[in-house]
Amino acid sequence: NPYEGLVSHLRRSWLSGRTRPLEYRVAQLEALGRFLDEKKDEILEATALDMGKPSFEAYFSEILLCKNELHDTLNNLAHWVKDEHVEKNLVTRLDSAFIRRDPYGVVLIIAPWNYPIHLFLVPLIGAIAAGNCAIVKPSEISNHTEKLVAETLSCYLDNDCYAVVTAGVEGTTRLLENKFDYIFFTGSPTVGKIVMQAAAEHLTPLTLELGGKNPCYVSDACDVQNVARRVAWGRFFNAGQTCIAPDYLLCSLEMQEKLMPALREAITEFFGPNPKDSPDFARIVGDKQFQRVQALLSSGRVAIGGQMDEEERYIAPTVLADVLPSDPAMQEEIFGPVLPIVVVTSMDDAIDFINARPRPLAIYAFSCDTKEVNEVLDRTSSGGFCGNDTLTHVTLTSLPFGGIG
Amino acid sequence: MERMQQVVGRARAAFNTGRCRSLEFRMQQLKALERMVQEKEQEILAAIKADLHKVVMSGPTAYIQEIVTVMVDLALTKSELPVWMAPRPMPKGLVEIRDKTYVCPEPLGVVLIIGTWNYPFLVVIQPLIGAIAAGNAAVVKPSEVSENTARLVADILPQYLDPELYPVVTGGVPETTALLTQRFDHILYTGNSRVGKIVMAAAARHLTPVTLELGGKSPCYIDKDCDLDVACRRITWGKYLNCGQTCIAPDYVLCDPSIQGKVVENIKATLLEFYGEDVKSSPDYERIINKHHFKRILGLLEGQKIAHGGETDEASCFIAPTILTDVSPESKVMEEEIFGPVLPILPVRSVDEAIEFINRREKPLALYVFSNNKKFIKRVVSETSSGGVVQNDVVMQFLLPTLPFGGVGNSGMGAYHGKHSFETFSHLRVYLIKDLKMEILNKFRYPPRTQKKVKLVLFVLLKLYDKGQARVILLALLGILAAVVAMLHFGSCLSA
């Protein structure tokens, strides 16, 4: 067991009680803040090398949103750690009854490659704030960021309590043989099952942040240009490599026709006539992923975009029209800058379509009529729901982020 | 396998009709459950007695343990459900000022409740209250070991509740294994850690979240500085309740060697008080559930110094309340959860030794500490971990439904009772509702990105690390605003 030594070391640190005092936790969190400030340029550079992440997007998701979480935690931690007194009954009237939030111990955080800093750092903020020790396992696919984190995080955090492990599939499998007190995993449902199986061996509680196909319903009653802009922004951010990106669109045939020019205009507005030249458009992270997304393009017909450059792993912002439920693009989470449109006959049809499929991480519904938005909301189930916009519900630190099913 | 597929399939189809979602339906089912417990009380108590030789009348018996606890939870749930179900508005930032942000609990779907035999009615019905309250369908699988209660629940539940939404499945290991191949939206299992792992591994195949109410060895640490008389009486009650077959029974005692003798004397005296000279004929003393567990517990006594008790009778699965002294940490009785009326006492010479002893073992479901010294208790509690802690008593954490009941590590994950059952069986869905107007505000987030846009985003979105000043500034601004408004208002009044 190659990681036994490391895990034991962290467990000894945990048992020493070092990570429990509030002052210690605050000091470590402040150090994380310094990491974000001092390594900002390196982070932007590494993510640009990994997937051509535009510097604004990288700044927004990897620095700004992380700092928001950090500040929210630092501002409220003293309050969060307080004992929560509960209502008592007659028998316990003279007693003190409360819930205390105790740290678990040694936590494992496994992060994916699409927002490689954010998706380990935000869970790590929580782990530290709650008084745990932690091992961070960044994704080997975003290898520049992985290297940066492995080399620099140790300069900021207490190395006896927080460690970074770099490993591929085999190494991660060996890592999961160890007993952890909590596992936080972000990634695909397939690997999620493997992680949960491994956790079951040690009865380790876990949080799984997975994915799915997030439907986006567009009603006939809506401001087409605004919808097109918001959907395009959500779909093409990070070249579509976002777990909560609108995965496919559901609308009437009429609306499909109206949306095409609107989407074309939005794409040109955002990325110019040739998105390949735009500094604001990312690339696919690796060859394997590029080939996977490429294969999905044989669905429906390419109405916008479709251009590719394998060397640069560039896929143009693409919209597919008249896609059928049996097409390749509808069989898996797309995770690329491709937006299939599936034509439905009515809102009821759209709701049935959504409910016939596994529950997604997010559902989007666009309509000028609040009743319609509410109906989609009421009759479906998902991790989260956003009416008349995409992605933004995850930027609020007050809203819990997670999936279902 | 096919039968399970049908049962679960029917429950899912029933759930998909949406009929179990309305508050009215949930209340109606909860009231029906309440009627069932009231009208079938005698039959329920008779079944439990047949399974565990529990007495119907006085003392901390099946009536209080199982019937009353269920009724209290039902009353709390019925009274609070409308509040629990309501959407919960969430704080917003400047950007979301025009939007609606909230979380709303929604049903998970079809849940599975697997019970165990020691409080056979309680451990399936109490979770069921939460499952119904949260708007789910639920498959109930009582333990086959407490076969009378299982048979009764299978018989009466469909008479009161919607039989498609809340089917009862009976059977042993093969039936449970078949059931676990089906897909559920949550599984709540009460039982032991070994089977807990099997349940979680089965759940992993469908990414089904689980609540595992397991067990372990709950330590009971007695300080030299404490009222030994009271402490020992409470420990005796909690230990020998249900013949030791309670997940949160104090499993073993840690104390200084100098008080070990006194502890034994006090417990002996209390046992006499509770059960009389001839424990076997006391109507208040239960039996071991079956021969298998009887033999298992008997095995734990081998080679031990029996300070009190030790009498057994295999025919009736009777084991007398037993105390073991000077127990070695490596002995068999310290390896597994005892789940019987045997109390080992292990001498420890210091707090350090006790804390280290506890931490070397798996995290227990409960930790009990008896002392008059608050600092002593604080130290023990803050340097160890457990599902729950009770200071200066035992078991009582179970009876307060506002406290979430559950373990940590090997003793389990997740918790339930009262509102916590509702939360366990709900998905807190997140909502952000905007409108399509004011699109101009969105321009700053769209590409192409200019420096001006970046600066604006920063200004609007970045939360400051507020060490208290922001609040003061905001208060000052509000004060000024209030003054201005007041001035304008009075000004207009005067001129009118």
Side-chain angles (χ1 to χ4, degrees):
Chain A
N1 187 345
Y3 299 105
E4 195 187 342
L6 175 64
V7 179
S8 308
H9 181 72
L10 256 57
R11 197 168 291 286
R12 266 192 307 273
S13 302
W14 153 250
L15 285 169
S16 75
R18 185 133 117 227
T19 55
R20 301 179 85 131
L22 188 61
E23 302 73 38
Y24 177 91
R25 306 181 201 189
V26 169
Q28 294 299 303
L29 289 171
E30 286 175 344
L32 263 188
R34 283 197 305 278
F35 166 77
L36 286 172
D37 286 330
E38 291 168 19
K39 294 296 166 195
K40 183 186 84 168
D41 293 329
E42 285 91 328
I43 290 171
L44 261 45
E45 194 189 324
T47 50
L49 286 168
D50 279 330
M51 69 202 90
K53 205 186 267 286
S55 61
F56 174 79
E57 288 185 7
Y59 184 80
F60 181 73
S61 67
E62 309 306 280
I63 311 282
L64 190 149
L65 289 182
C66 292
K67 287 189 98 176
N68 273 1
E69 287 279 337
L70 194 62
H71 294 164
D72 191 46
T73 301
L74 283 166
N75 290 341
N76 293 297
L77 190 55
H79 178 70
W80 292 348
V81 300
K82 288 210 177 91
D83 292 333
E84 185 189 326
H85 286 260
V86 299
E87 239 179 79
K88 298 180 283 197
N89 54 21
L90 197 60
V91 178
T92 45
R93 190 61 58 193
L94 296 173
D95 312 321
S96 180
F98 55 89
I99 303 167
R100 174 171 295 170
R101 279 156 177 75
D102 265 2
Y104 278 105
V106 181
V107 169
L108 171 64
I109 297 168
I110 302 178
W113 50 261
N114 57 339
Y115 294 92
I117 298 285
H118 184 117
L119 293 173
F120 87 79
L121 203 121
V122 171
L124 182 60
I125 290 171
I128 296 175
N132 300 282
C133 291
I135 292 183
V136 171
K137 209 303 280 172
S139 171
E140 70 282 15
I141 295 173
S142 45
N143 55 356
H144 296 91
T145 313
E146 183 201 32
K147 187 158 177 277
L148 175 69
V149 174
E151 284 172 5
T152 59
L153 200 66
S154 51
C155 307
Y156 292 87
L157 299 180
D158 182 343
N159 291 330
D160 286 324
C161 300
Y162 309 105
V164 178
V165 164
T166 55
V169 172
E170 208 193 297
T172 311
T173 310
R174 301 307 309 278
L175 185 58
L176 283 166
E177 286 167 14
N178 292 281
K179 177 175 176 151
F180 292 97
D181 302 300
Y182 202 94
I183 297 177
F184 191 102
F185 170 80
T186 308
S188 74
T190 316
V191 181
K193 290 181 186 179
I194 297 170
V195 173
M196 190 169 169
Q197 295 266 22
E201 289 286 326
H202 297 288
L203 287 171
T204 300
L206 70 173
T207 294
L208 301 174
E209 297 281 327
L210 311 175
K213 291 183 76 60
N214 305 316
C216 181
Y217 169 68
V218 179
S219 142
D220 284 336
C222 74
D223 182 329
V224 182
Q225 198 53 55
N226 285 351
V227 171
R229 242 185 245 115
R230 295 178 190 193
V231 171
W233 178 72
R235 173 76 275 189
F236 302 119
F237 196 92
N238 203 29
Q241 298 161 117
T242 308
C243 53
I244 36 150
D247 189 273
Y248 63 96
L249 216 84
L250 293 168
C251 64
S252 66
L253 191 60
E254 249 186 343
M255 182 46 63
Q256 184 182 238
E257 297 316 306
K258 286 198 189 134
L259 272 173
M260 275 322 160
L263 284 166
R264 209 171 277 119
E265 197 184 314
I267 291 170
T268 313
E269 201 183 297
F270 292 172
F271 307 117
N274 188 5
K276 202 170 172 196
D277 298 328
S278 164
D280 294 311
F281 188 69
R283 299 290 181 266
I284 303 301
V285 74
D287 296 324
K288 197 171 95 168
Q289 290 79 5
F290 176 88
Q291 275 143 26
R292 185 189 60 77
V293 179
Q294 186 182 42
L296 302 178
L297 284 163
S298 52
S299 309
R301 60 179 167 88
V302 177
I304 303 173
Q307 300 88 356
M308 289 180 278
D309 178 341
E310 188 150 1
E311 208 187 300
E312 263 192 55
R313 292 195 293 271
Y314 164 81
I315 297 179
T318 302
V319 179
L320 305 171
D322 299 323
V323 175
L324 297 171
S326 51
D327 282 333
M330 289 308 290
Q331 305 315 310
E332 56 183 87
E333 187 174 356
I334 293 169
F335 231 65
V338 176
L339 179 68
I341 301 183
V342 175
V343 169
V344 289
T345 51
S346 64
M347 185 177 68
D348 284 320
D349 196 17
I351 291 174
D352 289 338
F353 191 96
I354 295 170
N355 286 338
R357 285 164 171 70
R359 288 180 287 193
L361 193 46
I363 291 180
Y364 300 108
F366 285 85
S367 177
C368 286
D369 182 357
T370 0
K371 271 210 279 314
E372 276 198 316
V373 171
N374 284 335
E375 212 180 319
V376 179
L377 186 160
D378 283 334
R379 289 167 57 190
T380 58
S381 178
S382 61
F385 180 95
C386 186
N388 291 322
D389 207 343
T390 57
L391 307 191
T392 42
H393 60 292
V394 310
T395 61
L396 273 120
T397 57
S398 58
L399 292 176
F401 180 68
I404 182 175
Chain B
M1 179 77 106
E2 225 184 81
R3 177 168 82 96
M4 299 307 170
Q5 233 167 356
Q6 279 174 2
V7 169
V8 180
R10 246 199 322 269
R12 194 166 288 285
F15 173 77
N16 286 340
T17 64
R19 70 172 183 266
C20 52
R21 298 183 79 128
S22 70
L23 175 62
E24 292 72 38
F25 183 87
R26 303 182 201 190
M27 290 295 277
Q28 180 213 59
Q29 294 296 301
L30 290 172
K31 287 187 182 136
L33 191 60
E34 199 173 44
R35 265 197 332 273
M36 180 189 90
V37 177
Q38 285 163 338
E39 290 170 13
K40 297 292 177 187
E41 187 188 291
Q42 294 309 313
E43 286 94 322
I44 296 167
L45 291 172
I48 297 170
K49 180 179 180 180
D51 285 326
L52 282 145
H53 188 85
K54 271 188 190 162
V55 171
V56 175
M57 291 314 290
S58 60
T61 63
Y63 181 70
I64 293 179
Q65 292 155 3
E66 308 218 30
I67 305 282
V68 172
T69 312
V70 164
M71 295 301 273
V72 166
D73 204 316
L74 269 167
L76 173 68
T77 302
K78 274 170 31 200
S79 137
E80 300 297 306
L81 188 55
V83 173
W84 297 349
M85 276 176 73
R88 304 166 192 181
M90 301 296 277
K92 302 187 282 200
L94 193 61
V95 177
E96 299 86 22
I97 208 98
R98 294 185 65 255
D99 312 325
K100 285 205 227 115
T101 61
Y102 56 97
V103 296
C104 196
E106 56 170 51
L108 288 167
V110 181
V111 307
L112 172 63
I113 298 166
I114 302 177
T116 187
W117 52 262
N118 62 337
Y119 294 91
F121 185 74
L122 178 64
V123 299
V124 289
I125 300 299
Q126 198 169 15
L128 182 61
I129 297 171
I132 295 173
N136 302 285
V139 176
V140 175
K141 161 69 189 78
S143 169
E144 71 282 11
V145 178
S146 45
E147 53 185 347
N148 295 287
T149 311
R151 221 176 298 127
L152 179 75
V153 170
D155 190 31
I156 61 174
L157 211 70
Q159 292 175 28
Y160 288 82
L161 299 185
D162 184 320
E164 281 182 340
L165 284 168
Y166 314 110
V168 180
V169 170
T170 52
V173 173
E175 285 81 3
T176 312
T177 309
L179 201 50
L180 283 169
T181 60
Q182 301 303 305
R183 184 184 182 160
F184 294 96
D185 301 298
H186 195 102
I187 300 176
L188 190 148
Y189 165 78
T190 308
N192 64 60
S193 309
R194 186 185 58 85
V195 179
K197 291 181 185 182
I198 297 170
V199 172
M200 190 170 171
R205 263 178 251 122
H206 296 290
L207 288 170
T208 300
V210 297
T211 299
L212 303 175
E213 297 278 326
L214 310 176
K217 296 181 76 60
S218 297
C220 181
Y221 186 18
I222 311 177
D223 185 19
K224 272 191 281 194
D225 172 17
C226 91
D227 187 336
L228 269 185
D229 187 41
V230 175
C232 291
R233 187 173 296 112
R234 295 179 182 186
I235 293 168
T236 307
W237 170 74
K239 174 77 212 188
Y240 301 105
L241 188 65
N242 204 25
C243 210
Q245 297 162 118
T246 306
C247 52
I248 39 166
D251 187 275
Y252 62 96
V253 161
L254 294 170
C255 68
D256 191 277
S258 62
I259 57 168
Q260 189 180 218
K262 196 124 191 292
V263 168
V264 173
E265 288 314 307
N266 279 335
I267 296 177
K268 271 162 82 162
T270 312
L271 284 169
L272 192 64
E273 205 183 298
F274 288 179
Y275 306 116
E277 284 272 4
D278 181 17
V279 181
K280 206 166 172 204
S281 55
S282 163
D284 295 312
Y285 191 70
E286 287 96 347
R287 298 292 180 268
I288 301 303
I289 182 80
N290 60 24
K291 295 268 187 317
H292 162 75
H293 282 283
F294 173 88
K295 291 200 174 104
R296 178 187 64 80
I297 299 165
L298 210 58
L300 302 177
L301 295 176
E302 275 168 38
Q304 294 297 337
K305 205 196 278 181
I306 297 179
H308 179 79
E311 299 88 12
T312 64
D313 172 29
E314 185 162 342
S316 58
C317 288
F318 166 81
I319 299 180
T322 303
I323 310 171
L324 309 172
T325 49
D326 295 317
V327 176
S328 148
E330 285 79 39
S331 51
K332 201 152 179 247
V333 76
M334 287 308 292
E335 271 172 31
E336 56 179 82
E337 186 174 358
I338 294 165
F339 229 65
V342 174
L343 181 66
I345 304 181
L346 285 87
V348 285
R349 268 157 234 288
S350 65
V351 176
D352 291 309
E353 195 185 326
I355 291 173
E356 204 239 339
F357 186 95
I358 294 169
N359 284 340
R360 242 187 291 130
R361 289 171 157 62
E362 296 292 351
K363 296 179 193 176
L365 191 46
L367 171 71
Y368 302 115
V369 191
F370 286 84
S371 177
N372 289 328
N373 183 344
K374 284 200 162 70
K375 269 215 202 86
F376 174 92
I377 294 183
K378 191 171 177 202
R379 184 162 168 222
V380 176
V381 170
S382 63
E383 293 181 29
T384 56
S385 182
S386 62
V389 173
V390 184
Q391 302 170 6
N392 293 321
D393 207 338
V394 296
V395 174
M396 295 299 284
Q397 74 273 40
F398 193 90
L399 297 172
L400 186 53
T402 49
L403 286 176
F405 182 74
V408 65
N410 246 47
S411 56
M413 58 183 78
Y416 74 114
H417 284 187
K419 182 178 185 185
H420 310 284
S421 303
F422 176 84
E423 302 282 304
T424 290
F425 290 118
S426 296
H427 166 57
L428 279 183
R429 195 178 185 196
V430 163
Y431 295 87
L432 172 63
I433 312 293
K434 308 176 75 161
D435 60 33
L436 287 167
K437 306 194 189 107
M438 301 296 274
E439 180 61 357
I440 194 131
L441 289 178
N442 275 346
K443 293 270 186 195
F444 65 80
R445 78 186 194 202
Y446 298 143
R449 274 91 187 216
T450 59
Q451 261 312 100
K452 200 165 99 181
K453 274 193 190 176
V454 172
K455 287 209 168 98
L456 189 61
V457 169
L458 251 180
F459 174 75
V460 172
L461 280 182
L462 186 64
K463 252 193 233 266
L464 294 168
Y465 181 2
D466 152 33
K467 291 187 183 172
Q469 300 130 327
R471 263 168 268 250
V472 174
I473 295 171
L474 188 65
L475 225 62
L477 283 171
L478 283 172
I480 295 169
L481 186 67
V484 168
V485 168
M487 250 170 47
L488 291 170
H489 175 78
F490 286 120
S492 68
C493 280
L494 285 172
S495 60

